[in-house]
Amino acid sequence: IGNYVREGKKLYTDVFSQHQPSMFLASSAIQSVLKPDNILMVVKRHREFMMLWSAIWVIVLVARFGFKGLFVSSIMELSKIVLLGNMFLAESIVIYPLLYVILFILSGYKIRYKFEIWTLGIIFWFLVYSLTPLWPLLGLIAFLLYINSEDKKRLVTVWISVGMLTTFILFFRVNLYDYLLNALY
């Protein structure tokens, strides 16, 4: 499906799927940059992307949360192959960003850097458009972050801004009506 998107087809209109769009758009970007010749190279490039994705997130988790991030990342990396975490699946892509948010909550909701409220917003909306079964958990996370936020107005403003921008960018490649019909309804 990522190849069809790369060729200019619209998700949910020209290409049917009941899944969230971020994985198809990521696949399209990977294929546009790396230009694999055949299906075997597509699979290989996607798996290489998963290795890079994991490495980047391990560094981020360790840099932000220290030993807790190292501990959780070690468990994830040791169990990844058994849990299909090396494959280009929505479940594999979302686990590290979700761990970031969960570790943030478990560390007492302390925003250490000014850009972290934006980072959390971007991660939240990435998760929304990646895996539908996470939505109840994301609702709980958004509620917890809101009630524990020192600056509720800024949090809501940033998250709504990020959500609107993400949705606006996303729906250049996706027909909104067909998305609601096929992926949600």
Side-chain angles (χ1 to χ4, degrees):
I1 292 177
N3 188 45
Y4 290 129
V5 171
R6 187 173 64 90
E7 292 173 352
K9 303 228 186 278
K10 276 204 167 227
L11 276 174
Y12 309 110
T13 302
D14 300 324
V15 181
F16 172 77
S17 177
Q18 73 278 12
H19 297 289
Q20 292 296 314
S22 67
M23 294 301 294
F24 304 126
L25 299 175
S27 176
S28 174
I30 291 167
Q31 292 180 56
S32 293
V33 171
L34 300 176
K35 301 189 185 340
D37 296 338
N38 54 46
I39 191 70
L40 295 173
M41 291 305 290
V42 170
V43 171
K44 181 179 180 188
R45 296 298 180 233
H46 281 75
R47 290 210 176 147
E48 290 169 348
F49 171 80
M50 290 305 298
M51 286 186 256
L52 179 64
W53 178 260
S54 296
I56 290 169
W57 276 103
V58 167
I59 292 167
V60 167
L61 290 175
V62 171
R64 173 59 177 92
F65 300 105
F67 180 74
K68 287 186 251 179
L70 179 63
F71 180 72
V72 170
S73 297
S74 298
I75 291 172
M76 282 305 305
E77 288 302 312
L78 290 172
S79 63
K80 181 169 28 183
I81 300 295
V82 176
L83 300 173
L84 304 177
N86 62 327
M87 296 188 163
F88 191 76
L89 302 169
E91 293 82 357
S92 304
I93 291 275
V94 302
I95 192 66
Y96 277 112
L98 189 59
L99 283 173
Y100 183 95
V101 175
I102 290 170
L103 284 172
F104 177 79
I105 290 171
L106 293 176
S107 67
Y109 306 94
K110 301 290 184 224
I111 292 180
R112 220 192 276 171
Y113 310 103
K114 292 213 180 255
F115 64 85
E116 193 158 37
I117 195 166
W118 289 92
T119 303
L120 289 166
I122 291 167
I123 289 171
F124 180 83
W125 285 101
F126 171 75
L127 293 172
V128 165
Y129 287 122
S130 294
L131 194 60
T132 310
L134 285 181
W135 286 8
L137 176 63
L138 293 175
L140 176 64
I141 287 171
F143 177 73
L144 289 173
L145 290 173
Y146 177 77
I147 62 171
N148 290 300
S149 174
E150 294 173 2
D151 189 358
K152 290 177 178 26
K153 183 177 178 183
R154 183 167 181 245
L155 177 81
V156 170
T157 303
V158 166
W159 281 35
I160 287 175
S161 300
V162 170
M164 288 174 43
L165 180 64
T166 305
T167 304
F168 181 73
I169 291 170
L170 179 70
F171 288 107
F172 272 121
R173 304 299 302 210
V174 176
N175 181 308
L176 178 59
Y177 174 76
D178 290 333
Y179 165 75
L180 293 173
L181 182 68
N182 293 320
L184 300 182
Y185 177 72

